[in-house]
Structures are given as C-alpha cells and as structure tokens.
Amino acid sequence: LIKEYEGEGEEYVPTLGIPDEEFASLKKHITREEIRVVTLAKLKLRHDMCLWDVGAGSGSVSIEADHLLPNGRIFAMERNEQCLAFLKQNLNKFHTRHVTLVPGEAPDCFEDLPDPDRVFIGGSGGNLFRILEAVDTRLPAEGRIVINAITLETLTAATEFFENAGYQVEVTTINIARTRPLTEYKMFEAYNPVYIIVGEKG
Amino acid sequence: LIKEYEGEGEEYVPTLGIPDEEFASLKKHITREEIRVVTLAKLKLRHDMCLWDVGAGSGSVSIEADHLLPNGRIFAMERNEQCLAFLKQNLNKFHTRHVTLVPGEAPDCFEDLPDPDRVFIGGSGGNLFRILEAVDTRLPAEGRIVINAITLETLTAATEFFENAGYQVEVTTINIARTRPLTEYKMFEAYNPVYIIVGEKG
Amino acid sequence: LIKEYEGEGEEYVPTLGIPDEEFASLKKHITREEIRVVTLAKLKLRHDMCLWDVGAGSGSVSIEADHLLPNGRIFAMERNEQCLAFLKQNLNKFHTRHVTLVPGEAPDCFEDLPDPDRVFIGGSGGNLFRILEAVDTRLPAEGRIVINAITLETLTAATEFFENAGYQVEVTTINIARTRPLTEYKMFEAYNPVYIIVGEKG
Amino acid sequence: LIKEYEGEGEEYVPTLGIPDEEFASLKKHITREEIRVVTLAKLKLRHDMCLWDVGAGSGSVSIEADHLLPNGRIFAMERNEQCLAFLKQNLNKFHTRHVTLVPGEAPDCFEDLPDPDRVFIGGSGGNLFRILEAVDTRLPAEGRIVINAITLETLTAATEFFENAGYQVEVTTINIARTRPLTEYKMFEAYNPVYIIVGEKG
C-alpha cells in the first residue's frame, strides 16, 4: 500500500526527501530538498487535511505532501504552460494518489475547490495580495498559510498582510550550504536564503 | 490506521514536523524541528527499512521516522538514564509502532540487533570512531549513515572516517534563525549551526 | 601619530577589529566585532567626512571609525544615561580624536550639528521614521545611511522609507558562528543574524 | 598624507571597504568586501607590524591592509602569472605605500623576507602544510595566522596543524547574502560560506 516508484530495478522513492534531480523542472524553479521538507514541517499537516499548493511549479511540494496526507486532498495550481507539462509528468512518475492538478491563475482558480485547511504559496506571480485575500475568505480558524519568499518584497508584503488580518506570524530564515559530491575537494556551495513565513489564522 | 495522538481533545500530531515542545527532554538536548526533518530527508528512508538511531536522546528522530517506515523497524539506543526516561515517555505519548528502545552503550548494544539499512548518529558520547567502525561491519552496500555534528571535531572525525572507508561523503550546513512568536517585535534568533554529514557505502 | 592604547604594558589596540570585550557596555548591547567592521565597510568613509552615529550605545562603531576618519568628524549621539557613562569611559580609554559625544534624543539633538556625509543608525528607540525624515533633510546627494536591523519591523520600515524617498537600497544579511575558544571541543555558536541596510541618496 | 585614489574626478577610495569591482581580477578570485574586512579585523594588525599575504591573488587584502599598517610592511606573494599582472595593476591603481610584491611560490619565496608578525593565507595551491610549517619557524610568540577556507579539506588541515603545533584556534563561519542592486525586486543572493581560521602562537 506504500507509494513507491520503481525505476530501473534498483531505484526507490524515499518516504521523505526526494532528490531534486528526480523532478522534471525548469532549471532553478524547484524548491530544494531541504527547504521542501522544512516547508512541509511548517505546514503541520494532519492525515486528512485539504492542502492548496498555489504556484505548484514542478509539483515537488505536492508530491512529497501526498505521502503525508493519506486521507487528505491536495490541489496543485499552476498557470504556466511549461510548468504544467513538467507537473503532469512528475505526478505520473511518482504515482501520487491525492493530488489534483488545477491549471489556471490564482485566485480565480480557487472558485470550484473545497476549502483548504492548509495553503502553501510557493509562487504568486505578482498577485500575492489578491491571493492572500481570497485564501483568507476560505480558510477556517486555526488554518495555516505557509509562504516561501526569496525577495524582501514578498517577505514584507506577506508579513504585513498577516499582521493586518490578525494572523499569528512566524518567520524562519534558512541558509544552507552543501558540498558538491563530485569535486575532489569538498567545497561548500550556498543556496540562496529562503524565508519561510507562517501565518496562522486566529 | 494512521498514527495519531489525541491529547486534550483538539490536539493532533502532524504527520511531519512535531513541534519541539511536544517532546519531554533535557533542555537543549533535542534535535530542532527544522534540523530533524532535514536529517530524515537525508536518511532517504524506504518504507521497509531498518533504522538504527544511535544516541537517540529524547527520541524525536525515531518518533518522526516511525511514520516514514510503516513496514520497517527502528532501534533507538540510549545510555543516559535521564534521557531513557524521557525517551520512554515520548514513545508512549506518540504511540510509535515500529520503535524498539535499546538501553545501553553503543557500539556494545549493537550485538543483538538486526543489520541496519540506515544509521543516524545524533550523539556519540566520545565513541564516534568505535561506533562508526562497528556500524561499518554491519551496514550493507548502499547503506547510509547520517551524523549531526555541532563541533568541528565531530565534523572532522566523521568526514575522515568516511573517506578512509571509501564512502561517498556529502556535508550540508544549516543556519536557521526564527522570529520569536511572543515578542512585540519579530526579532530573529539564530540556532547554532548544524553539520549534517552523509556517508554512503560504496 | 598613530592612535594607540597602551594598557598594562603589553596591550595594544588593533587598527581594525577591537575585540568586543575591550568595550565597557551593557551586556549584549554592543555591535559585534565582525558586524562592526562590515558596517564600517558599508559606510564607505572618506578620510575627511562627517559621520553621525545615532544611538551610539557603547560607542564601538564611533571608536573604530575614529581611525578611518583622520581628517573628519564623528558625532556619537545617545540618550540612555547608562550607555552614556559607558560611552564616555570608552572614548577616554581609546583616546579618540574626532568623536564628539552628543547626549540627547534623536532627531532633536541633530539641530546644532553640522550636516553629515554618512549616518549610522545602530538604535532608534522607536523613532526610526522621524529620525530618517530628519536625516534626509540634512544629508547631501550621494550621502549614505547605514542601518543595522535585528527585527523584521526595522528591516521593513527602513527599506520602505528608502524606497519612498528615492534612495538606492541594498540589504546584506550576515549569519556568523564562532567557536568558543575556551571549551575542549570547538562548538560553533551562532550570533543572531543582522541585516545591514544601506540607503544611498539619489 | 592620506592614501587616496582620484579617478575620473569624483571617485574616491573609502578608508575601509573598497568595492570588489574596483579590483582588476580573475572572475571570482577575489576576497569579497565583507569577508575581506572581517579577515583584516581577525588579523589584529598593529600600525607597525609586518604582514605576509600568502597567495595574494588580486591583492585586495594587502591593499586594504596598507592603510591599516601606516608604519608597517606588507609582502604580497603570488605565483600565478595572470594574478601577478592584476596584482601589479591594482597596487598601482591604489598607490599602496607599504606593499612589496613577491612573485614566486610559497614557502620557497619566504627566504629573503623579514619575519612576519601576522600572516594571511588566502590561497595555498595545495601546499598548505608546508607553508604552515615554514611560517611557524618564522613567526614569533603571539604571532597570528589567519586562513580563509572554502573547502572542508582546508578547514580540517588548518585546524589540525594549529592544534598539533600548540596554537590557540578560533574558527568563524560567515554566511552572507546580499540583495542585487539592479533588479526590480530585491532578491537575496548568497555568497558561498567562508571559514576564517585564526591560529595564535602560544
């Protein structure tokens, strides 16, 4: 009954921490393995929750969440055609059971979806404020929104929205460096820092 | 069939990212939520693997791993009496299904255990080299050891062992800062950095 | 002609990087050595400039700047009585030549001072916006303001002010960890992260 | 009497924190502005000391140190022909007064130089151990060696040398991210982390 990907005989998909290179994606448009699992931890998923993944990109967060929501539902929204192609390919590859692909632009595409318990916003395409306003009307009390920001503008906008809307806010900054496995010397290479912003509805 | 902790009515245990304060522990002797999930991701667990958790402390890694190894086994080893008491308390609280408590000192306590697929070393009590030598004789090819180091000495010793033993080595450094939720201003407070060292047997 | 502090025979003051413990201060109210020198670098001081040090605290930035402004002037402003006592003590200890102590509250205490070329704001006591507005009326084109922020609120407020006022903005985040020299093992201890915000007037 | 670079009328060289782009260099072979000033702070230079800059590269550390050693001497050693050309160009551009260029390979090129009070090793070209052994025979008690490491191997080798030779060791890790000034959004871009290792002779 376990989700499992059997490629070339020996391969398997870990139950957490799928390597970045396993996802088909536009280069650099993937949430890195380490950031992805911290993001999932911050979402505080319960087995039967409904998760909205806004700006799902290549789907790495939805795909890892699939295993953490065995009785739940995930809606992966994406407007970019190229990303949608990769997203479909990845959902197939990993045999997700609970992920529904929602092509279209947030917040318009929210309309026909069931209300979320948790919302992850990985990309907002310049609509962050409108998206947050729309999410807010649908999210129940104690609902939780997690936003990954790589710009100061998103950090500021998200924080201000949460404070004005009376959410509890926590920001976690993550600086990671990893040795490249293939060089002779183990040189540390930094990822760009990510701000994980959590808003919990009062 | 989902592991779930029903405390005081409303509470639930997230399927990933149990908050630090949910674990009974000696102060500061817990692997922080964010570090814990990255550690689990680095272990690359498959549903049916056998995990050794050496120096399990309050058991937070074993407890979160329990959910990621639905068909596997986890051996949580700990020698410190005080930690053992907390460990027992936490295993009970979270109703783990696959975790066996192993009181005693590594590597001596390895003897009666089945061979591991994955080994996590959160604390080595000054025995790191002996522990790694003993693990190495039991770990199959493509087995994986993950060590969390907070001192330069452990970082150096672990890396050197892996290189001499022909393992593939990757080191990830994690610097995290988090805003305190209870202050009026959101001041960033840093965790001490952690080095997550992965050795994969050739 | 070199500034030099001869204490107890053997001691000397380095021409850059005075150790934190050399400054009399309220505990934790000092800009750390590493942050201090990066701050000075960001100020881009020319030998003959006028520097305002707003919220000078124990004076560590003014004191290190003294050597970098051999033909310039530094005004160290501080309103807190306890800090003022430490500040005086430190200015005496390090024989600064170009630092004038300005007791009082910013921005009121700006009135009698000559216009600045550079302004460092280490603490704003809740008056950041008023301070920045007042500084802006006195700062010439190509003048430069550097703010050290440890809260998200200051980061946001400073950035927004600079953008609205047409300044060029650059933010540098610094995460530092240092091994404690006195323990047997070299454990890395993190400083809390600092945001160094630079605004350059258009 | 102040070192000053007058280029194209308006330009000036700050007395600390020369922007990276002011140095002619092989791309990426420059010690970044922020790292450079922390490195200088760690050297604890006194006005009249003798500094060896081993593997000087484009000379940025020697050039900034020039101002901090008004009565001292700096020997900038470099073996790479291309780097030497840039180094010469930069020494000319910044009108250094105390820097002597020493073409050749360390430690062989040490022979004719006066003993150092301070040694900075920015690059060791695979000879770190031999360089450190040679430096050790020339460095007086309380002398100080600072090494910037970007690989785990250098970090380990330097630390081990210092410990075996009875030096006091301190390691500072620096993780910096900076907003790019030219993009519409202020995205944080990380530098790779640097380990600044300080060894002080007993």
Side-chain angles (χ1 to χ4, degrees), chain D residues 109-143:
Chain D
C109 64
F110 293 170
E111 203 169 323
D112 297 327
L113 305 180
D115 286 349
D117 302 294
R118 299 290 185 258
V119 178
F120 171 63
I121 303 177
S124 58
N127 286 337
L128 183 62
F129 190 77
R130 279 183 59 225
I131 290 172
L132 284 172
E133 277 202 310
V135 165
D136 183 48
T137 65
R138 304 285 297 276
L139 193 72
E142 295 179 34

mmCIF file of all heavy atoms in Angstrom, chain D residues 109-143:
data_model
loop_
_atom_site.group_PDB
_atom_site.id
_atom_site.type_symbol
_atom_site.label_atom_id
_atom_site.label_comp_id
_atom_site.label_asym_id
_atom_site.label_seq_id
_atom_site.Cartn_x
_atom_site.Cartn_y
_atom_site.Cartn_z
ATOM 1 N N CYS D 109 59.520 31.270 -1.397
ATOM 2 C CA CYS D 109 59.730 32.720 -1.506
ATOM 3 C C CYS D 109 59.830 33.417 -0.156
ATOM 4 O O CYS D 109 60.033 34.629 -0.095
ATOM 5 C CB CYS D 109 58.637 33.344 -2.345
ATOM 6 S SG CYS D 109 56.997 33.192 -1.608
ATOM 7 N N PHE D 110 59.671 32.660 0.931
ATOM 8 C CA PHE D 110 59.763 33.284 2.267
ATOM 9 C C PHE D 110 61.194 33.697 2.617
ATOM 10 O O PHE D 110 61.417 34.584 3.444
ATOM 11 C CB PHE D 110 59.286 32.310 3.370
ATOM 12 C CG PHE D 110 57.832 31.955 3.340
ATOM 13 C CD1 PHE D 110 57.338 30.935 4.160
ATOM 14 C CD2 PHE D 110 56.928 32.620 2.513
ATOM 15 C CE1 PHE D 110 55.997 30.593 4.162
ATOM 16 C CE2 PHE D 110 55.573 32.275 2.501
ATOM 17 C CZ PHE D 110 55.114 31.264 3.331
ATOM 18 N N GLU D 111 62.146 33.016 1.989
ATOM 19 C CA GLU D 111 63.523 33.036 2.474
ATOM 20 C C GLU D 111 64.106 34.418 2.736
ATOM 21 O O GLU D 111 64.669 34.676 3.799
ATOM 22 C CB GLU D 111 64.414 32.258 1.487
ATOM 23 C CG GLU D 111 65.692 31.755 2.131
ATOM 24 C CD GLU D 111 66.403 30.762 1.196
ATOM 25 O OE1 GLU D 111 65.696 29.977 0.501
ATOM 26 O OE2 GLU D 111 67.639 30.801 1.152
ATOM 27 N N ASP D 112 63.927 35.307 1.759
ATOM 28 C CA ASP D 112 64.585 36.613 1.871
ATOM 29 C C ASP D 112 63.728 37.658 2.580
ATOM 30 O O ASP D 112 64.115 38.825 2.657
ATOM 31 C CB ASP D 112 64.929 37.122 0.462
ATOM 32 C CG ASP D 112 65.920 36.191 -0.223
ATOM 33 O OD1 ASP D 112 66.761 35.607 0.484
ATOM 34 O OD2 ASP D 112 65.818 36.036 -1.453
ATOM 35 N N LEU D 113 62.582 37.249 3.089
ATOM 36 C CA LEU D 113 61.685 38.231 3.702
ATOM 37 C C LEU D 113 61.967 38.365 5.192
ATOM 38 O O LEU D 113 62.401 37.411 5.842
ATOM 39 C CB LEU D 113 60.227 37.809 3.507
ATOM 40 C CG LEU D 113 59.763 37.537 2.081
ATOM 41 C CD1 LEU D 113 58.290 37.139 2.079
ATOM 42 C CD2 LEU D 113 59.991 38.749 1.198
ATOM 43 N N PRO D 114 61.698 39.538 5.752
ATOM 44 C CA PRO D 114 61.783 39.684 7.214
ATOM 45 C C PRO D 114 60.700 38.844 7.884
ATOM 46 O O PRO D 114 59.666 38.557 7.278
ATOM 47 C CB PRO D 114 61.537 41.180 7.441
ATOM 48 C CG PRO D 114 60.870 41.678 6.210
ATOM 49 C CD PRO D 114 61.310 40.794 5.072
ATOM 50 N N ASP D 115 60.913 38.461 9.130
ATOM 51 C CA ASP D 115 59.933 37.655 9.858
ATOM 52 C C ASP D 115 58.599 38.397 9.961
ATOM 53 O O ASP D 115 58.577 39.619 10.138
ATOM 54 C CB ASP D 115 60.439 37.361 11.280
ATOM 55 C CG ASP D 115 61.552 36.321 11.276
ATOM 56 O OD1 ASP D 115 61.774 35.691 10.224
ATOM 57 O OD2 ASP D 115 62.201 36.156 12.322
ATOM 58 N N PRO D 116 57.522 37.651 9.880
ATOM 59 C CA PRO D 116 56.203 38.290 9.946
ATOM 60 C C PRO D 116 55.690 38.379 11.387
ATOM 61 O O PRO D 116 56.030 37.562 12.227
ATOM 62 C CB PRO D 116 55.317 37.328 9.165
ATOM 63 C CG PRO D 116 55.887 35.978 9.493
ATOM 64 C CD PRO D 116 57.385 36.193 9.642
ATOM 65 N N ASP D 117 54.832 39.374 11.654
ATOM 66 C CA ASP D 117 54.036 39.394 12.887
ATOM 67 C C ASP D 117 52.663 38.766 12.641
ATOM 68 O O ASP D 117 52.055 38.204 13.542
ATOM 69 C CB ASP D 117 53.828 40.840 13.358
ATOM 70 C CG ASP D 117 55.128 41.563 13.594
ATOM 71 O OD1 ASP D 117 55.842 41.163 14.525
ATOM 72 O OD2 ASP D 117 55.432 42.506 12.832
ATOM 73 N N ARG D 118 52.213 38.919 11.407
ATOM 74 C CA ARG D 118 50.909 38.433 11.007
ATOM 75 C C ARG D 118 51.035 37.777 9.642
ATOM 76 O O ARG D 118 51.782 38.262 8.791
ATOM 77 C CB ARG D 118 49.904 39.595 10.876
ATOM 78 C CG ARG D 118 49.658 40.370 12.167
ATOM 79 C CD ARG D 118 48.891 39.522 13.150
ATOM 80 N NE ARG D 118 48.529 40.244 14.350
ATOM 81 C CZ ARG D 118 49.161 40.118 15.513
ATOM 82 N NH1 ARG D 118 50.218 39.320 15.629
ATOM 83 N NH2 ARG D 118 48.723 40.765 16.574
ATOM 84 N N VAL D 119 50.261 36.690 9.446
ATOM 85 C CA VAL D 119 50.291 36.012 8.156
ATOM 86 C C VAL D 119 48.864 35.738 7.722
ATOM 87 O O VAL D 119 48.064 35.196 8.499
ATOM 88 C CB VAL D 119 51.066 34.674 8.239
ATOM 89 C CG1 VAL D 119 51.038 33.951 6.895
ATOM 90 C CG2 VAL D 119 52.499 34.914 8.708
ATOM 91 N N PHE D 120 48.538 36.136 6.503
ATOM 92 C CA PHE D 120 47.242 35.790 5.934
ATOM 93 C C PHE D 120 47.454 34.826 4.782
ATOM 94 O O PHE D 120 48.266 35.070 3.890
ATOM 95 C CB PHE D 120 46.496 37.037 5.436
ATOM 96 C CG PHE D 120 45.269 36.687 4.648
ATOM 97 C CD1 PHE D 120 44.224 35.999 5.249
ATOM 98 C CD2 PHE D 120 45.152 37.023 3.305
ATOM 99 C CE1 PHE D 120 43.074 35.646 4.520
ATOM 100 C CE2 PHE D 120 44.017 36.685 2.582
ATOM 101 C CZ PHE D 120 42.975 35.996 3.195
ATOM 102 N N ILE D 121 46.728 33.715 4.828
ATOM 103 C CA ILE D 121 46.825 32.728 3.747
ATOM 104 C C ILE D 121 45.468 32.650 3.054
ATOM 105 O O ILE D 121 44.512 32.096 3.586
ATOM 106 C CB ILE D 121 47.253 31.353 4.288
ATOM 107 C CG1 ILE D 121 48.584 31.474 5.023
ATOM 108 C CG2 ILE D 121 47.339 30.337 3.149
ATOM 109 C CD1 ILE D 121 49.072 30.176 5.676
ATOM 110 N N GLY D 122 45.399 33.280 1.899
ATOM 111 C CA GLY D 122 44.146 33.289 1.143
ATOM 112 C C GLY D 122 44.080 32.137 0.166
ATOM 113 O O GLY D 122 43.007 31.675 -0.211
ATOM 114 N N GLY D 123 45.262 31.656 -0.224
ATOM 115 C CA GLY D 123 45.342 30.520 -1.146
ATOM 116 C C GLY D 123 46.645 29.806 -0.911
ATOM 117 O O GLY D 123 47.671 30.444 -0.645
ATOM 118 N N SER D 124 46.610 28.491 -1.000
ATOM 119 C CA SER D 124 47.824 27.743 -0.671
ATOM 120 C C SER D 124 48.245 26.804 -1.798
ATOM 121 O O SER D 124 49.274 26.136 -1.705
ATOM 122 C CB SER D 124 47.595 26.932 0.607
ATOM 123 O OG SER D 124 46.502 26.047 0.430
ATOM 124 N N GLY D 125 47.466 26.745 -2.843
ATOM 125 C CA GLY D 125 47.851 25.940 -4.005
ATOM 126 C C GLY D 125 48.264 24.525 -3.670
ATOM 127 O O GLY D 125 49.177 23.978 -4.270
ATOM 128 N N GLY D 126 47.633 23.915 -2.672
ATOM 129 C CA GLY D 126 47.938 22.531 -2.347
ATOM 130 C C GLY D 126 49.120 22.352 -1.418
ATOM 131 O O GLY D 126 49.459 21.240 -1.033
ATOM 132 N N ASN D 127 49.770 23.474 -1.043
ATOM 133 C CA ASN D 127 50.965 23.392 -0.184
ATOM 134 C C ASN D 127 50.697 23.805 1.250
ATOM 135 O O ASN D 127 51.630 24.190 1.970
ATOM 136 C CB ASN D 127 52.059 24.341 -0.721
ATOM 137 C CG ASN D 127 52.700 23.807 -1.964
ATOM 138 O OD1 ASN D 127 52.668 22.599 -2.218
ATOM 139 N ND2 ASN D 127 53.272 24.702 -2.745
ATOM 140 N N LEU D 128 49.464 23.760 1.703
ATOM 141 C CA LEU D 128 49.133 24.378 2.982
ATOM 142 C C LEU D 128 50.033 23.894 4.118
ATOM 143 O O LEU D 128 50.540 24.694 4.900
ATOM 144 C CB LEU D 128 47.661 24.137 3.333
ATOM 145 C CG LEU D 128 47.209 24.808 4.626
ATOM 146 C CD1 LEU D 128 47.327 26.315 4.534
ATOM 147 C CD2 LEU D 128 45.769 24.429 4.969
ATOM 148 N N PHE D 129 50.245 22.599 4.191
ATOM 149 C CA PHE D 129 51.011 22.062 5.315
ATOM 150 C C PHE D 129 52.450 22.577 5.300
ATOM 151 O O PHE D 129 52.972 23.049 6.307
ATOM 152 C CB PHE D 129 50.972 20.528 5.302
ATOM 153 C CG PHE D 129 51.536 19.919 6.543
ATOM 154 C CD1 PHE D 129 50.802 19.895 7.724
ATOM 155 C CD2 PHE D 129 52.824 19.389 6.549
ATOM 156 C CE1 PHE D 129 51.340 19.343 8.882
ATOM 157 C CE2 PHE D 129 53.358 18.839 7.697
ATOM 158 C CZ PHE D 129 52.621 18.811 8.867
ATOM 159 N N ARG D 130 53.066 22.517 4.137
ATOM 160 C CA ARG D 130 54.456 23.017 4.025
ATOM 161 C C ARG D 130 54.520 24.514 4.320
ATOM 162 O O ARG D 130 55.466 24.993 4.971
ATOM 163 C CB ARG D 130 55.012 22.754 2.626
ATOM 164 C CG ARG D 130 55.533 21.321 2.425
ATOM 165 C CD ARG D 130 56.137 21.176 1.033
ATOM 166 N NE ARG D 130 57.247 22.107 0.805
ATOM 167 C CZ ARG D 130 57.418 22.839 -0.299
ATOM 168 N NH1 ARG D 130 56.557 22.756 -1.303
ATOM 169 N NH2 ARG D 130 58.446 23.666 -0.414
ATOM 170 N N ILE D 131 53.537 25.249 3.853
ATOM 171 C CA ILE D 131 53.508 26.699 4.110
ATOM 172 C C ILE D 131 53.405 26.959 5.605
ATOM 173 O O ILE D 131 54.142 27.771 6.170
ATOM 174 C CB ILE D 131 52.341 27.356 3.343
ATOM 175 C CG1 ILE D 131 52.631 27.358 1.846
ATOM 176 C CG2 ILE D 131 52.067 28.767 3.860
ATOM 177 C CD1 ILE D 131 51.476 27.804 0.977
ATOM 178 N N LEU D 132 52.490 26.234 6.259
ATOM 179 C CA LEU D 132 52.295 26.463 7.687
ATOM 180 C C LEU D 132 53.542 26.090 8.489
ATOM 181 O O LEU D 132 53.921 26.790 9.430
ATOM 182 C CB LEU D 132 51.069 25.686 8.186
ATOM 183 C CG LEU D 132 49.725 26.308 7.800
ATOM 184 C CD1 LEU D 132 48.570 25.367 8.156
ATOM 185 C CD2 LEU D 132 49.525 27.659 8.501
ATOM 186 N N GLU D 133 54.180 24.991 8.108
ATOM 187 C CA GLU D 133 55.417 24.603 8.801
ATOM 188 C C GLU D 133 56.487 25.672 8.665
ATOM 189 O O GLU D 133 57.174 26.006 9.627
ATOM 190 C CB GLU D 133 55.942 23.292 8.207
ATOM 191 C CG GLU D 133 55.278 22.054 8.787
ATOM 192 C CD GLU D 133 56.169 20.830 8.584
ATOM 193 O OE1 GLU D 133 56.614 20.634 7.432
ATOM 194 O OE2 GLU D 133 56.417 20.095 9.559
ATOM 195 N N ALA D 134 56.593 26.213 7.462
ATOM 196 C CA ALA D 134 57.612 27.247 7.231
ATOM 197 C C ALA D 134 57.258 28.526 7.962
ATOM 198 O O ALA D 134 58.137 29.183 8.558
ATOM 199 C CB ALA D 134 57.754 27.508 5.728
ATOM 200 N N VAL D 135 55.982 28.895 7.938
ATOM 201 C CA VAL D 135 55.564 30.099 8.657
ATOM 202 C C VAL D 135 55.852 29.943 10.142
ATOM 203 O O VAL D 135 56.351 30.858 10.805
ATOM 204 C CB VAL D 135 54.065 30.387 8.426
ATOM 205 C CG1 VAL D 135 53.540 31.397 9.442
ATOM 206 C CG2 VAL D 135 53.808 30.877 6.999
ATOM 207 N N ASP D 136 55.577 28.756 10.653
ATOM 208 C CA ASP D 136 55.733 28.516 12.092
ATOM 209 C C ASP D 136 57.164 28.764 12.567
ATOM 210 O O ASP D 136 57.386 29.239 13.673
ATOM 211 C CB ASP D 136 55.299 27.086 12.415
ATOM 212 C CG ASP D 136 55.370 26.792 13.900
ATOM 213 O OD1 ASP D 136 54.863 27.622 14.691
ATOM 214 O OD2 ASP D 136 55.930 25.750 14.274
ATOM 215 N N THR D 137 58.135 28.442 11.719
ATOM 216 C CA THR D 137 59.546 28.642 12.126
ATOM 217 C C THR D 137 59.919 30.119 12.148
ATOM 218 O O THR D 137 60.929 30.492 12.728
ATOM 219 C CB THR D 137 60.520 27.912 11.175
ATOM 220 O OG1 THR D 137 60.411 28.514 9.878
ATOM 221 C CG2 THR D 137 60.199 26.426 11.081
ATOM 222 N N ARG D 138 59.107 30.943 11.518
ATOM 223 C CA ARG D 138 59.447 32.359 11.397
ATOM 224 C C ARG D 138 58.593 33.274 12.274
ATOM 225 O O ARG D 138 58.947 34.432 12.504
ATOM 226 C CB ARG D 138 59.305 32.801 9.919
ATOM 227 C CG ARG D 138 60.117 31.992 8.920
ATOM 228 C CD ARG D 138 61.591 32.359 8.994
ATOM 229 N NE ARG D 138 61.781 33.741 8.629
ATOM 230 C CZ ARG D 138 61.890 34.181 7.359
ATOM 231 N NH1 ARG D 138 61.831 33.324 6.349
ATOM 232 N NH2 ARG D 138 62.055 35.460 7.111
ATOM 233 N N LEU D 139 57.472 32.740 12.719
ATOM 234 C CA LEU D 139 56.507 33.566 13.458
ATOM 235 C C LEU D 139 56.889 33.638 14.938
ATOM 236 O O LEU D 139 57.135 32.611 15.565
ATOM 237 C CB LEU D 139 55.114 32.940 13.316
ATOM 238 C CG LEU D 139 53.914 33.786 13.744
ATOM 239 C CD1 LEU D 139 53.664 34.902 12.740
ATOM 240 C CD2 LEU D 139 52.667 32.905 13.863
ATOM 241 N N PRO D 140 56.932 34.853 15.515
ATOM 242 C CA PRO D 140 57.252 34.954 16.946
ATOM 243 C C PRO D 140 56.051 34.544 17.798
ATOM 244 O O PRO D 140 54.932 34.399 17.293
ATOM 245 C CB PRO D 140 57.530 36.454 17.125
ATOM 246 C CG PRO D 140 56.711 37.116 16.076
ATOM 247 C CD PRO D 140 56.696 36.157 14.905
ATOM 248 N N ALA D 141 56.282 34.368 19.096
ATOM 249 C CA ALA D 141 55.188 34.098 20.029
ATOM 250 C C ALA D 141 54.167 35.227 19.947
ATOM 251 O O ALA D 141 54.530 36.381 19.722
ATOM 252 C CB ALA D 141 55.730 33.981 21.452
ATOM 253 N N GLU D 142 52.896 34.876 20.135
ATOM 254 C CA GLU D 142 51.775 35.804 19.987
ATOM 255 C C GLU D 142 51.559 36.263 18.552
ATOM 256 O O GLU D 142 50.704 37.110 18.278
ATOM 257 C CB GLU D 142 51.902 37.012 20.926
ATOM 258 C CG GLU D 142 51.812 36.563 22.380
ATOM 259 C CD GLU D 142 51.957 37.695 23.369
ATOM 260 O OE1 GLU D 142 51.503 38.819 23.077
ATOM 261 O OE2 GLU D 142 52.510 37.437 24.454
ATOM 262 N N GLY D 143 52.337 35.696 17.637
ATOM 263 C CA GLY D 143 52.059 35.947 16.227
ATOM 264 C C GLY D 143 50.749 35.288 15.851
ATOM 265 O O GLY D 143 50.274 34.375 16.531
#
